[in-house]
Every structure is written in structure tokens, then in C-alpha cells.
Amino acid sequence: MFMLDAEPESLQLEPKHTALLIIDMQRDFVEPGGFGETLGNDVSLLRDCIEPCRQVLAAARAHGLLVIHTREGHRPDLSDAHAQKIQRGNPALRIGDPGPMGRILIRGEAGHDIIPELYPVAGEPVIDKPGKGAFYQTDLELILQTRGIDTLLVCGVTTEVCVHTTVREANDRGRRCVVLGDCCASYFPEFHAVALRMVVAQGGIFGWVSTAQHFLTAIND
Ligand code: TIU
């Protein structure tokens, strides 16, 4: 059991009931030539969260916390991709189009893979999700149930899109979510800041926000 300094208040965590959930730290979002860039974003804005995330991942592994990774992406035949998702907007390349890291946001392609700095190791579940939320059309809920997880430490990208959607889904499923703010990032720094405020407002309406350093201090105590 350890105490984690967080907003709106500190909370007690029990390692065997706590999982680190790393959302969509894929080349498609973080590196040039992927999905994020095709949408018109500056992907370099996501890089600052990698190192704190790497430190949290190392500590979580060292202390035996369950680590779960997610990847957003689709089957090669696009049978699990809604037309509105593929056709929306005017991107440089659409989902499924060939790009420099393979077909955009398609499972099995280089761009779909998790970045080397945060690569999963054997035994860490990887959840492939077709949507923004990690619970939608996945077996994440089942895995949390079988492992007895009631609390999620959430990292990843992007803060206001897949991280927020997943936190909202988890909150409605009775899980406590702690977003490690500096382990998340957005293509829109102002959205990142507001998304974190939205989690902790109203007495922590969606959960808690903490930092990599608070987590490292707490778990190493
Ligand atoms: N575009 C954007 O900010 N995010 C996504 O499309 N997916 C995730 O956040 N993973």
C-alpha cells in the first residue's frame, strides 16, 4: 500500500489492485509520417511525455504492477472501421492508405506499433482497439476483472481524445483513474491543460491527476 500525492486529494494505492494503462503510444501518433501527422498535427508536441512515461513504466515493472498497453487501429480489410471515421475531414492520407510507415492506422504495419522506448515485454497485455476508448469493443474490462484491478494509472496520447475517452469509460465502470499528467500529451497544449482540469474539477468528477515524479516517489518509499 502506498500514498500517491494527487489532485484533488492524495489517494492510497494497493499495487496488486492497480494497473498502469499506457494509451496508444504508437509510432502512428508520435512519429512523422503517421496518422497524427496526416491529420495536420505537429507530432513533435507529443515527445516530452515519453521520458516520464518510460520512468513510470520501469518503476511499475520493478514493483510488479500489471502493465497494459493499448493500440488504436484497424483490420487490414477495414471491416472494423466506421465509414465516418475513415471519411471524416480532409487528411493528407486516410486510414488504410499507404504511408512511409505502412498503411495508416492498420494493425501489423510499422506505424501501428508501439514506440521502442515503451515497447511491451512478455506478459503485458496489449489491447487492440478500433475506437478512442480502450473499453469499446475490447476485452479490457474482462482483463481488469480477472486480475482484480480497481485502479488505473493512465498515461499516453492524446490527453483529450483517447486518454479522456478511456478515463470516462473506466469511471463509469467503477474504476479509480489517476491520470499522470506529464505522461500524457496532446497536439493542442491548451486542450491537454483543460482536459486535466476537467478530470479533477467538481471534487474529481472523473478521477485524479498526478505526476510521474509523485508516482516514483510514492512507489519507491
Ligand atoms: N487525433 C487525436 O488527437 N487522437 C487520436 O486520434 N487518437 C488517440 O488519441 N489515440
Side-chain angles (χ1 to χ4, degrees), residues 1-219:
M1 199 89 92
F2 59 94
M3 281 298 282
L4 178 62
D5 195 351
E7 287 182 69
E9 64 202 357
S10 301
L11 72 162
Q12 256 188 352
L13 300 182
E14 203 174 337
K16 71 173 188 292
H17 296 304
T18 301
L20 175 64
L21 181 63
I22 305 181
I23 305 287
D24 300 358
M25 289 300 290
Q26 296 160 257
R27 299 182 65 195
D28 252 323
F29 293 103
V30 177
E31 295 186 12
F35 182 59
E37 193 173 77
T38 71
L39 296 174
N41 298 305
D42 173 3
V43 296
S44 71
L45 290 164
L46 303 190
R47 296 213 70 85
D48 281 356
C49 77
I50 296 173
E51 178 54 22
C53 212
R54 194 192 61 74
Q55 292 180 24
V56 165
L57 175 58
R61 284 173 175 161
H63 288 84
L65 263 62
L66 176 65
V67 176
I68 303 174
H69 306 259
T70 73
R71 300 185 296 202
E72 181 178 353
H74 297 282
R75 294 169 180 262
D77 65 3
L78 296 176
S79 57
D80 60 352
H82 297 299
Q84 55 85 6
K85 183 175 181 183
I86 299 172
Q87 288 161 10
R88 195 186 312 122
N90 190 23
L93 295 170
R94 292 193 188 275
I95 294 168
D97 286 350
M101 294 190 288
R103 293 178 66 203
I104 299 293
L105 218 59
I106 297 297
R107 295 178 190 160
E109 302 287 344
H112 180 263
D113 213 352
I114 292 174
I115 59 171
E117 296 91 329
L118 303 174
Y119 211 75
V121 298
E124 295 176 351
V126 178
I127 306 286
D128 277 321
K129 62 188 185 67
K132 304 293 185 271
F135 290 86
Y136 174 68
Q137 301 288 0
T138 73
D139 56 4
L140 177 58
E141 173 65 27
L142 182 59
I143 291 173
L144 299 183
Q145 280 178 20
T146 61
R147 299 296 186 92
I149 300 298
D150 62 22
T151 302
L152 298 171
L153 300 165
V154 189
C155 301
V157 297
T158 61
T159 320
E160 81 281 12
V161 182
C162 291
V163 171
H164 231 268
T165 305
T166 299
V167 166
R168 288 167 184 238
E169 288 180 330
N171 179 61
D172 276 349
R173 286 165 173 78
R175 300 303 181 330
R176 302 192 304 170
C177 288
V178 185
V179 180
L180 299 180
D182 53 342
C183 300
C184 299
S186 168
Y187 303 119
F188 304 86
E190 69 274 28
F191 291 175
H192 170 82
V194 171
L196 296 181
R197 284 177 54 203
M198 288 167 68
V199 171
V200 301
Q202 305 181 69
I205 195 80
F206 293 124
W208 291 257
V209 170
S210 187
T211 64
Q213 193 53 57
H214 285 326
F215 172 70
L216 296 172
T217 302
I219 202 163

